[in-house]
Amino acid sequence: MLVSATAVAGALVATPVAPAAPEARAPGGRPALRIVDERTRPVFSRADAVFQQVDVETRTDSDGDGERDTVRMRILRPRETDAGLKVATIIEASPYWGGGNDVPFHPVDIDKDGLPDGRPGSRPADGPGGGAGLPGLFAAAPPPATAAAGSSVVFPGYTDNYFLPRGYAVAQVDSVGTGASTGCPVSGGRAETLGAKAAVDWLNGRARGRDTDGRSVGAAWSTGDAAMMGISYNGTLPTAVAATGVEGLKAIVPISGISSWYDYYRGGGAVVAPGGYQGEDTDILAKAVYSRADREICRPVHARLTAEQDRVSGDYGRFWDERDYVKDAARFRAGVFLVQGLNDWNVRTGHAGRLWEALKRHDVPRRLWLHQAGHSNPMPLRMEEWLSRLHQWFDFWLYGLDNGALDGPAVEVEQADFGWRRQADWPAPGTRDVRLRLTAGGLSPLPGRPVRQSLTDTGRVLPAEELVVRPDEPNGNRLAYTTGPLPADLRISGAPRVSVRASLAGTSPYLTALLVDHGTDTRATAGTVADTSQQVCYGEGVPGDTGCAYRTRHRTETAGFKIVTRGWLDVRNRASLWRQSPVAEGREYRFQWAMQPQDYVFKKGHRLGVVLISTDRDHTLRHPAGTRVTVLAGAGAVTLPVAPAGR
């Protein structure tokens, strides 16, 4: 049974938390966890923690130097582990602990011959690690390379303050090619996965480790059971490692993590950028996080990334298949607590949606949180509930406590009013497809008279937000279809799909569909704002780390419309993502594609709209303006996953 939010809040909103009571003792006088009501209790001192650094040998030689890669693992564990206490470990693997580099982006403007046209953009060194980054991590200094007392070591985040006193070790791992690790960053490739996996293997005695003086060292203090968690790239690595089926990884918490790198840098056969990072790709990200001491050895590896990622066709292939973790969902042994922002256009909602469906097919134990923010940490948005749920999850999987972690509804969804809805599954149970025709008169459940309508692509210069406004006014650069005012609230839960009969004439091969809510309202955006009126102390502090944080609240804006979701298709990939098929200019074809999944309520009195364009300026490559798209209105449709009213 979960501890109530009120009870937890009373314990947290105070001064920094100190150990509550002496730890329990096992037979023979050895220290042991203190467990009350199937819950570990904070009885170990964060300030007295043991700090340990280990270089763990992996099974790969990604830099080709003739020696196996090693990954640096930094560990904080209760002092009592030196006296016989065995504990589980919470791992955060990351390519960001060592800092980052300023790397030019690829050009995204394409000339009439399909070649890059224009100067590359630039990636800020202190910004997110490509779309896959986490703001702030580049600025976070890693712990010292030399031995240090646990009280003088600061780990970013909250796991050490909250979980170490409850009897957990916490660990950071430098991903291959970053920080104090060797090897090369490969943006989701196998070497990267096996590097993070090696940490789990070392905890179980299956990998060799050495301390910073080169002496062999094992993990006698470890139970062998581990969890992995993190946000963004740090949330991608847990999924990647779980997809190997590694023994000992009992639980993962991927927060806004990538489940398929193709879906991150491509979409429907199109070269598609993560939101805000036009021109980034696997090679750019790998170079950006390349922070190991040897700055030359990985250049050939990164050149291969550039060659193999294929920014010309956007086709799926062996390169991307290696970086697709969803296909290996049957191998998961870990329980999965999946978290995704509904306003995240960096790691888009399709990553959580595809992984959730695959886990369901293979009956992997799972839970899902969908919140209204973007690419952000859910902890300060819902602090007491988050810590309570995470604590329950780790106690259940890592210490086998009978605490009901898998009882009750599997999914929690934050609503537009910031209240939370609990439900058995996602999409919501009872969701059914509702098909609306794209007719000359708007969106209708009935077929319309066949009429050909055309648009001229100007997406290279005009963002989608300028092309969806005023849907009733003539605009030759888009096709807009709307319903009348809705007679009741309409909730979609899942991925809308579009089908059109259309022809294209020009250089752009793209079709983009936008689902739009037309109606003035105050809505959540991707951002959050710190609430400095109250500081919450959630764990034991040490010098330089108070164990406290400010709550955050959603940033909102009032506007007359919102692009709810969108989807892209390279028409040459209409039959297969693996290879293109020629398209005859002016010939009419049937095109079908999906938008990103969403959970969204169109309010009574608003109008639901679908807008068709070609180039999506902020996401796709930008071909010269002027491509003409002709659609047979009356023969196209949007299929909406509509949830039951009140559910």
Side-chain angles (χ1 to χ4, degrees):
M1 186 176 191
L2 289 176
V3 178
S4 72
T6 303
V8 177
L12 292 181
V13 183
T15 56
V17 179
E23 74 274 5
R25 292 279 168 178
R30 289 181 304 172
L33 303 178
R34 181 173 178 82
I35 298 170
V36 179
D37 296 331
E38 299 297 317
R39 201 171 182 88
T40 55
R41 299 295 173 173
V43 297
F44 304 104
S45 169
R46 165 64 181 86
D48 291 342
V50 175
F51 176 61
Q52 181 180 10
Q53 298 191 91
V54 182
D55 290 321
V56 181
E57 185 178 272
T58 79
R59 293 181 173 272
T60 64
D61 176 16
S62 60
D63 57 16
D65 66 353
E67 297 182 4
R68 289 187 176 185
D69 301 339
T70 60
V71 293
R72 172 65 58 87
M73 188 174 184
R74 291 177 292 275
I75 304 158
L76 286 168
R77 50 185 171 86
R79 173 180 51 81
E80 289 78 3
T81 54
D82 281 346
L85 176 69
K86 288 185 178 289
V87 297
T89 307
I90 300 168
I91 301 168
E92 185 168 7
S94 175
Y96 299 138
W97 303 128
N101 309 301
D102 187 6
V103 182
F105 285 168
H106 291 286
V108 295
D109 289 341
I110 304 300
D111 67 18
K112 61 183 178 58
D113 297 317
L115 300 174
D117 176 23
R119 301 194 323 192
S122 179
R123 176 191 178 284
D126 60 349
L134 175 61
L137 281 184
F138 281 113
T146 57
S151 61
S152 66
V153 174
V154 174
F155 272 19
Y158 52 88
T159 53
D160 59 317
N161 311 92
Y162 185 86
F163 284 105
L164 190 146
R166 289 166 169 79
Y168 290 86
V170 295
Q172 294 177 339
V173 175
D174 290 339
S175 189
V176 290
T178 72
S181 295
T182 64
C184 296
V186 288
S187 296
R190 182 166 176 76
E192 195 168 84
T193 298
L194 294 182
K197 173 182 175 289
V200 179
D201 286 333
W202 179 76
L203 292 170
N204 284 274
R206 297 189 298 266
R208 290 187 292 187
R210 296 187 181 277
D211 65 20
T212 53
D213 293 323
R215 295 172 298 208
S216 180
V217 62
W221 50 266
S222 169
T223 64
D225 292 336
M228 293 184 69
M229 69 174 292
I231 306 170
S232 194
Y233 210 143
N234 302 15
T236 301
L237 288 164
T239 301
V241 176
T244 69
V246 60
E247 185 177 352
L249 183 61
K250 299 293 187 179
I252 65 171
V253 184
I255 305 168
S256 293
I258 295 168
S259 61
S260 165
W261 288 76
Y262 182 85
D263 292 337
Y264 188 66
Y265 286 124
R266 305 290 183 268
V271 176
V272 174
Y277 295 90
Q278 263 288 34
E280 190 187 281
D281 218 317
T282 65
D283 57 341
I284 304 300
L285 181 54
K287 295 173 186 176
V289 302
Y290 179 30
S291 56
R292 62 173 286 188
D294 186 334
R295 307 313 305 276
E296 298 297 323
I297 195 169
C298 292
R299 290 184 183 276
V301 175
H302 295 157
R304 286 198 297 274
L305 290 179
T306 301
E308 294 175 5
Q309 67 193 5
D310 180 12
R311 286 184 62 82
V312 177
S313 76
D315 290 355
Y316 193 84
R318 291 174 57 188
F319 178 88
W320 298 109
D321 202 53
E322 177 185 332
R323 293 163 170 79
D324 182 1
Y325 315 127
V326 176
K327 71 180 191 307
D328 294 320
R331 304 183 67 183
F332 279 52
R333 298 186 183 190
V336 181
F337 183 3
L338 190 58
V339 183
Q340 176 67 44
L342 290 168
N343 282 295
D344 190 348
W345 284 98
N346 182 333
V347 177
R348 297 177 285 267
T349 54
H351 291 273
R354 282 192 65 213
L355 182 58
W356 181 254
E357 289 298 319
L359 296 172
K360 186 190 312 183
R361 286 194 300 272
H362 296 288
D363 201 26
V364 176
R366 63 204 176 276
R367 286 293 183 267
L368 174 66
W369 269 25
L370 298 172
H371 60 82
Q372 286 288 331
H375 201 65
S376 62
N377 183 355
M379 185 269 206
L381 280 169
R382 201 186 185 201
M383 196 176 295
E384 290 81 17
E385 293 86 348
W386 172 254
L387 289 172
S388 179
R389 193 63 51 83
L390 197 61
H391 185 186
Q392 180 190 38
W393 193 249
F394 288 155
D395 276 0
F396 177 82
W397 288 106
L398 299 181
Y399 287 127
L401 301 186
D402 185 13
N403 59 16
L406 294 177
D407 295 344
V411 177
E412 294 187 58
V413 183
E414 188 176 19
Q415 307 299 288
D417 63 0
F418 309 131
W420 285 77
R421 179 197 305 265
R422 303 190 74 180
Q423 58 194 49
D425 201 357
W426 194 74
T431 295
R432 63 187 181 89
D433 285 346
V434 173
R435 195 165 186 244
L436 297 177
R437 304 279 186 156
L438 308 178
T439 73
L443 292 173
S444 170
L446 301 175
R449 182 172 60 86
V451 175
R452 286 182 170 80
Q453 300 177 312
S454 295
L455 67 92
T456 300
D457 179 30
T458 54
R460 181 163 177 163
V461 293
L462 294 178
E465 286 74 13
E466 293 187 29
L467 292 167
V468 302
V469 296
R470 298 180 292 278
D472 299 322
E473 296 181 7
N475 186 329
N477 304 130
R478 57 97 197 278
L479 293 175
Y481 306 91
T482 65
T483 65
L486 296 173
D489 288 355
L490 185 148
R491 178 190 177 196
I492 62 166
S493 181
R497 304 187 305 277
V498 177
S499 172
V500 298
R501 289 195 63 84
S503 64
L504 286 82
T507 61
S508 175
Y510 298 143
L511 289 176
T512 299
L514 309 161
L515 186 68
V516 187
D517 177 9
H518 294 286
T520 300
D521 202 357
T522 301
R523 307 172 177 91
T525 66
T528 59
V529 181
D531 180 358
T532 58
S533 66
Q534 186 183 65
Q535 190 176 55
V536 178
C537 294
Y538 51 79
E540 181 189 349
V542 293
D545 179 5
T546 63
C548 306
Y550 292 119
R551 299 183 191 278
T552 59
R553 54 183 171 80
H554 291 285
R555 188 185 298 275
T556 61
E557 68 176 12
T558 301
F561 73 94
K562 179 182 176 71
I563 297 176
V564 176
T565 187
R566 62 182 86 196
W568 312 271
L569 176 70
D570 184 326
V571 296
R572 299 167 297 186
N573 291 92
R574 63 195 180 280
S576 171
L577 292 180
W578 286 81
R579 61 188 59 85
Q580 295 182 350
S581 300
V583 173
E585 187 168 288
R587 178 178 171 182
E588 200 166 79
Y589 298 87
R590 170 67 66 182
F591 301 116
Q592 301 179 72
W593 70 104
M595 301 186 208
Q596 294 294 308
Q598 254 299 337
D599 202 290
Y600 187 88
V601 174
F602 293 82
K603 291 184 178 180
K604 177 182 177 179
H606 287 204
R607 293 194 296 165
L608 183 151
V610 172
V611 174
L612 299 179
I613 58 177
S614 178
T615 299
D616 189 345
R617 188 178 193 281
D618 294 330
H619 293 272
T620 66
L621 294 180
R622 305 167 184 164
H623 288 260
T627 294
R628 189 170 182 79
V629 180
T630 301
V631 172
L632 183 61
V638 59
T639 301
L640 302 172
V642 176
R647 293 283 293 276

